[in-house]
Amino acid sequence: MTQTHFILDGTALPLAAVVKVARQQATLELSHTAEFITRLDQGAALVARLQAQQQVVYGITTGLGDSCSEHILPEHVPLLPHYLMTYHGCGLGAWFSPEQTRAILVARLASLAQGYSGVRYRLLEHLTALLHHDCLPLIPQEGSVGASGDLTPLSYVAAVLAGEREVWFAGARRPADEVLAQLNMTPLTFQPKEVLAVMNGTAVMTGLACLAWDRAAYLVRLATRSTALAVIALTGNPDHFQRRLFDLKAHPGQGRVAGWLRADLDAYQSDSHARARLQDRYSLRCAPHVLGVLEDMLPWLASWLHTELNSANDNPLIDTEYEQVLHGGHFYGGHVAMAMDSLKIAVANIADLLDRQLALLVDPKFNHGLPANLTGASGHRRALNHGLKAVQIAVSAWTAEALKLTMPASVFSRSTECHNQDKVSLGTIAARDCLRILELTEQVLAAVLLASVQAVELRGAMTQLTPAMQAHVMQLRTLSPKLVEDRSLDAELRACVQAIQQQHWSFA
């Protein structure tokens, strides 16, 4: 049974919780157990005692970042959280989408729920209420170096809790104080550690990375099915995917992709005498080796992201068991940065693979008897129609852009903030790049799906599809009918991309 309800109680949240809550396919409820409430409030109480004792604690009785040597007067300590939140209000760029913002909120909640951030249970109640009411902070995408946490973007979350800045609510952009009043939510008056705890963590990059992982896992499965359609359309050789062959190079994910291809090609009978080539070109023959890289990466990427999601990743950490303050660098997003840099390379390689398959499908020099550009027009009207010629050009552009973005973000560390943050992860930039590459690759896949189905129909090979493949084709044709006379395809392509992103096609 698909889980549609998750409890936040300090135990590990699965990646699926982030994805499902972000897509409003599940809800997240804060635990009301006395044990959980007490554990959180004990951390806030320890911070209050340390403050009363005038002990030196970073970000509470000291300045921030390189200014940690500056002593904050006791009467100014309550003011510091507001100043921290305020001076980080400098983000620019597009706003994160509602789905992405929900993922960010879940990721921050998961970390705070570990109980080492020195915040009250009440703070988590307010964050959870934002999700419950779908009152989403408007968070700009640009401005984080991903090392002292996602400070600038997360300042917009803290500000909304205080009734400042803006939210996206009920389909409109509105001032946060107005919406909180409408929801009968009192703006928070922060205790000394709470703004720092909200801001100083890896929630933005982690939330985005969870969404990217899920999209990539679906992408590899659908790209495999699209490849099977291309094999049939191009009268390819199914023996390239036989089980014994993949027993001899036994990467598990690569073997799974080959197995999916065998299942999808189960009804396809390739006459060896009719084959144009003994060995298909690499974009068909080596498809499991390209797609399998991503399939093999997904488990270890999930492991890293699961650990990051369920970690105490701000600074300093408040350890109530030993009554000590742990000053460190858990806000550093190195694992997320490397995961996203790796994932975006694997995904862009899939865009390149699909782009090459499309080039074979539309070119009469390579498509073994199909019409040029897969036009469905006939007779004298064939010369008038150009089929998927422009679509193939667009796919080439999308693929080039995806490949261009594969430069690892993590290698561009910049020393910043008076050389205090002198080595940074750039994990949020890596995650943003990865999401853009996924979007471009989904566009490529949408186009190649349309082309592959068109080619199978022109080949007259529908009877060689399995029932699952035939159902897939029928669903696709509800979005985009067979192309006979040329027409604009942008709306149909957008509908197909949306179907991919909504994971419209299911797999057993």
Side-chain angles (χ1 to χ4, degrees):
M1 180 180 295
T2 302
Q3 188 170 352
T4 59
H5 186 69
F6 296 92
I7 301 295
L8 185 70
D9 59 4
T11 59
L13 274 182
L15 300 191
V18 180
V19 175
K20 289 182 178 295
V21 174
R23 294 179 181 158
Q24 297 185 300
Q25 298 168 345
T27 57
L28 183 70
E29 180 181 329
L30 192 60
S31 171
H32 302 298
T33 64
E35 179 184 4
F36 180 58
I37 295 170
T38 299
R39 184 159 60 86
L40 284 169
D41 286 344
Q42 283 177 341
L46 177 56
V47 171
R49 289 200 303 274
L50 295 171
Q51 178 192 350
Q53 296 164 5
Q54 297 188 17
Q55 294 195 27
V56 178
V57 181
Y58 170 76
I60 298 174
T61 63
T62 75
L64 298 153
D66 186 61
S67 303
C68 62
S69 58
E70 297 288 340
H71 178 68
I72 303 298
L73 296 175
E75 60 268 28
H76 289 166
V77 167
L79 302 176
L80 186 60
H82 185 268
Y83 276 80
L84 170 63
M85 176 180 74
T86 299
Y87 81 79
H88 274 98
C90 59
L92 293 178
W95 306 109
F96 285 117
S97 71
E99 178 181 293
Q100 292 164 349
T101 304
R102 294 184 201 105
I104 290 166
L105 293 176
V106 176
R108 198 73 215 111
L109 277 162
S111 180
L112 296 176
Q114 302 305 308
Y116 294 97
S117 298
V119 303
R120 295 166 294 169
Y121 179 80
R122 185 183 178 195
L123 175 68
L124 273 69
E125 285 184 308
H126 278 245
L127 279 171
T128 308
L130 294 182
L131 280 171
H132 175 72
H133 294 293
D134 208 32
C135 174
L136 304 176
L138 278 174
I139 306 174
Q141 294 190 14
E142 299 170 8
S144 174
V145 294
S148 196
D150 289 310
L151 289 170
T152 289
L154 288 176
S155 76
Y156 289 77
V157 176
V160 165
L161 293 175
E164 299 182 17
R165 301 186 195 169
E166 293 181 302
V167 297
W168 184 257
F169 180 72
R173 178 177 172 179
R174 294 178 56 189
D177 57 347
E178 289 183 7
V179 176
L180 293 186
Q182 180 179 334
L183 297 173
N184 295 316
M185 289 179 62
T186 303
L188 274 178
T189 299
F190 292 109
Q191 291 190 358
K193 174 69 167 57
E194 290 182 330
V195 168
L196 184 59
V198 171
M199 291 171 52
N200 188 229
T202 61
V204 175
M205 67 181 81
T206 302
L208 300 181
C210 291
L211 296 177
W213 185 94
D214 185 77
R215 285 168 69 174
Y218 185 75
L219 176 78
V220 69
R221 190 66 182 87
L222 189 56
T224 302
R225 173 147 292 172
S226 176
T227 296
L229 287 165
V231 169
I232 295 169
L234 292 167
T235 63
N237 184 354
D239 292 344
H240 295 323
F241 314 121
Q242 59 181 291
R243 184 185 303 275
R244 178 56 180 161
L245 184 63
F246 285 87
D247 287 343
L248 302 179
K249 187 176 182 181
H251 294 295
Q254 178 178 276
R256 280 193 297 276
V257 171
W260 296 336
L261 284 167
R262 286 195 300 272
D264 279 347
L265 296 172
D266 185 58
Y268 170 57
Q269 301 297 323
S270 173
D271 185 347
S272 61
H273 298 292
R275 290 180 200 147
R277 297 173 64 88
L278 174 64
Q279 296 191 147
D280 290 330
R281 290 178 170 83
Y282 287 10
S283 60
L284 297 184
R285 190 185 354 150
C286 299
H289 307 78
V290 178
L291 295 163
V293 171
L294 175 53
E295 180 65 18
D296 274 310
M297 287 172 61
L298 290 171
W300 69 260
L301 292 174
S303 174
W304 281 15
L305 296 180
H306 183 268
T307 298
E308 190 72 34
L309 174 66
N310 294 289
S311 68
N313 51 51
D314 58 292
N315 175 60
L317 298 179
I318 308 300
D319 186 351
T320 57
E321 182 179 356
Y322 295 96
E323 293 206 340
Q324 61 181 332
V325 178
L326 304 172
H327 292 92
H330 283 357
F331 48 67
Y332 192 90
H335 282 78
V336 180
M338 192 62 67
M340 291 296 96
D341 278 345
S342 301
L343 182 58
K344 69 189 189 185
I345 292 170
V347 169
N349 268 286
I350 292 178
D352 197 28
L353 176 81
L354 296 171
D355 172 68
R356 295 299 83 213
Q357 291 176 2
L358 180 58
L360 298 179
L361 286 165
V362 300
D363 192 333
K365 295 187 295 294
F366 303 104
N367 65 19
H368 311 316
L370 293 171
N373 302 303
L374 302 179
T375 179
S378 59
H380 294 298
R381 299 194 66 81
R382 179 168 290 187
L384 184 64
N385 286 274
H386 292 78
L388 297 175
K389 181 187 287 287
V391 171
Q392 196 265 331
I393 295 170
V395 164
S396 185
W398 301 331
T399 301
E401 185 174 348
L403 294 169
K404 178 181 73 68
L405 290 172
T406 56
M407 177 66 74
S410 55
V411 300
F412 284 95
S413 174
R414 309 291 298 155
S415 183
T416 188
E417 202 255 304
C418 300
H419 300 293
N420 175 51
Q421 299 178 29
D422 58 352
K423 175 61 178 167
V424 295
S425 77
L426 300 179
T428 304
I429 294 174
R432 286 171 43 222
D433 282 349
C434 188
L435 287 171
R436 176 58 178 156
I437 289 173
L438 276 160
E439 181 180 44
L440 290 162
T441 305
E442 289 159 350
Q443 292 173 191
V444 171
L445 178 54
V448 177
L449 277 170
L450 294 182
S452 297
V453 168
Q454 176 90 353
V456 168
E457 290 174 336
L458 291 170
R459 181 74 71 187
M462 286 294 294
T463 59
Q464 298 198 53
L465 303 185
T466 63
M469 297 268 277
Q470 290 179 7
H472 183 128
V473 170
M474 290 176 63
Q475 290 173 334
L476 186 74
R477 281 300 183 222
T478 66
L479 303 174
S480 178
K482 183 177 179 180
L483 184 63
V484 180
E485 291 285 320
D486 287 353
R487 63 178 184 268
S488 297
L489 293 172
D490 50 353
E492 296 166 36
L493 285 165
R494 288 182 190 277
C496 191
V497 170
Q498 184 178 43
I500 293 169
Q501 293 174 347
Q502 294 175 347
Q503 301 184 1
H504 176 70
W505 291 282
S506 60
F507 298 93

